[in-house]
Amino acid sequence: MADRRRQHDDAEPAVDGHGGERLCAATREALSPDHLIRFVADPSGDIVPDLARRLPGRGVWVKADKAVLERAVKSNVFAKSLKRQVKADPALPERVEHLLEKRVLEALALANKAGLVTAGFQQVDELLEGGTTAVLVQASDAADGGRERLQRKYAAVARARGKEASLVTSLSTEQLSLAMGRSNVVHAALIQGGAAERFYDEAERLRRYRSGIGASDRPESARELKV
C-alpha cells in the first residue's frame, strides 16, 4: 500500500513494464529503487534525502552515485522535477554520504549486539576456517600483509564451498571500534543472519554511492581476489 501511494506522489513514478523501476531525474535511467535515493522537499522548500523512503510528499529519485547527485544539485534537477521553487544545498552530496555511512555503522552495531560479529585477526582467521563467514570486514587502514592473508583465505574457503564471498573495506579502524564498542578493531567477520545481510546491503549502498560502480560490479568481492 505504501509503495503504491509513493508511486502516485513521486515526480518520477514507476516505469511501466520494468518491475517497479523508477527514472533517475538526472540521468533518465530506469533503475531499481535500491540503486536510487529518494528526495523530498520539506515545508520550507529545502530538499532532504529520504533514505528509508518513508517521508510524505512528491519524491524525486536520483541515482545513488555521488557524482550524479552533484550534477543534479548544480543543474537544478529537483525544481524541474517538482515543477516549483525548491532549494538544494550544495553540500547535499556530502550529507547523503554521511547519512549512508551512519546507516552502515548502525547496522554493524546491531549485528554485533545480535552476536553475529567476531573481531580480532586470530578469531577471524579461525572463523574463516569453518566456512560460516557471511561477510568479512577489514578496516580501510588495515596493514596490507594481514589484510591480504585473510582475503586469500576467505576467497579460497568460499570457492571451495560454492558460496559467494562478501567483503567490506569502507570503514576505518576508529569507525569499526566505535560501532562495536571495543578498541582497535581492524578485522571482523559476520556469520549469517538478518542483521548481517542488512549490514552488507548498507555497506554496498555506500560503496556504490562513493564509486559510482553498479551493483553487478563488485571489486571488493572476494570472488575477484587471487587465491
Side-chain angles (χ1 to χ4, degrees):
M1 181 68 71
D3 285 341
R4 193 175 300 123
R5 183 170 59 250
R6 272 201 301 273
Q7 288 180 19
H8 177 74
D9 290 341
D10 287 342
E12 298 296 345
V15 181
D16 291 341
H18 286 74
E21 291 182 341
R22 289 173 172 80
L23 287 177
C24 168
T27 67
R28 310 310 294 173
E29 294 175 87
L31 298 167
S32 162
D34 291 338
H35 300 157
L36 295 158
I37 296 173
R38 186 175 185 266
F39 295 86
V40 298
D42 68 12
S44 64
D46 290 321
I47 293 296
V48 297
D50 179 21
L51 298 181
R53 308 170 198 160
R54 295 173 182 169
L55 296 178
R58 288 176 62 82
V60 178
W61 296 79
V62 177
K63 187 176 182 180
D65 179 328
K66 188 175 183 179
V68 171
L69 180 55
E70 288 172 347
R71 294 199 301 271
V73 171
K74 291 178 181 178
S75 60
N76 206 25
V77 160
F78 300 99
K80 293 175 183 175
S81 295
L82 295 173
K83 297 180 174 58
R84 65 186 179 94
Q85 284 294 108
V86 294
K87 296 171 287 183
D89 190 332
L92 185 61
E94 286 71 30
R95 181 184 175 191
V96 169
E97 182 173 4
H98 173 74
L99 291 173
L100 289 172
E101 191 174 78
K102 181 180 179 182
R103 288 173 67 93
V104 176
L105 293 169
E106 289 175 345
L108 179 60
L110 286 174
N112 186 49
K113 289 180 180 178
L116 303 180
V117 187
T118 295
F121 184 91
Q122 187 62 40
Q123 293 88 336
V124 170
D125 190 48
E126 293 174 359
L127 187 65
L128 292 176
E129 192 74 40
T132 60
T133 299
V135 185
L136 174 62
V137 184
Q138 296 181 298
S140 56
D141 50 351
D144 290 340
R147 179 173 57 196
E148 291 174 358
R149 175 182 165 184
L150 290 180
Q151 287 180 5
R152 286 196 298 269
K153 186 169 188 176
Y154 184 34
V157 172
R159 287 172 180 166
R161 294 174 179 267
K163 294 183 178 180
E164 180 178 325
S166 303
L167 176 66
V168 173
T169 62
S170 55
L171 304 171
S172 68
T173 297
E174 181 180 5
Q175 289 174 316
L176 292 175
S177 301
L178 286 172
M180 296 181 61
R182 54 184 295 178
S183 61
N184 199 35
V185 177
V186 180
H187 305 282
L190 287 72
I191 60 175
Q192 191 63 46
E197 292 175 7
R198 183 197 163 195
F199 164 72
Y200 185 67
D201 288 344
E202 294 290 356
E204 273 293 282
R205 193 181 186 190
L206 174 62
R207 180 188 71 83
R208 290 196 300 269
Y209 181 77
R210 287 174 169 170
S211 67
I213 297 174
S216 61
D217 301 312
R218 293 184 178 182
E220 286 193 331
S221 172
R223 290 176 298 174
E224 307 298 327
L225 302 175
K226 295 181 179 179
V227 180

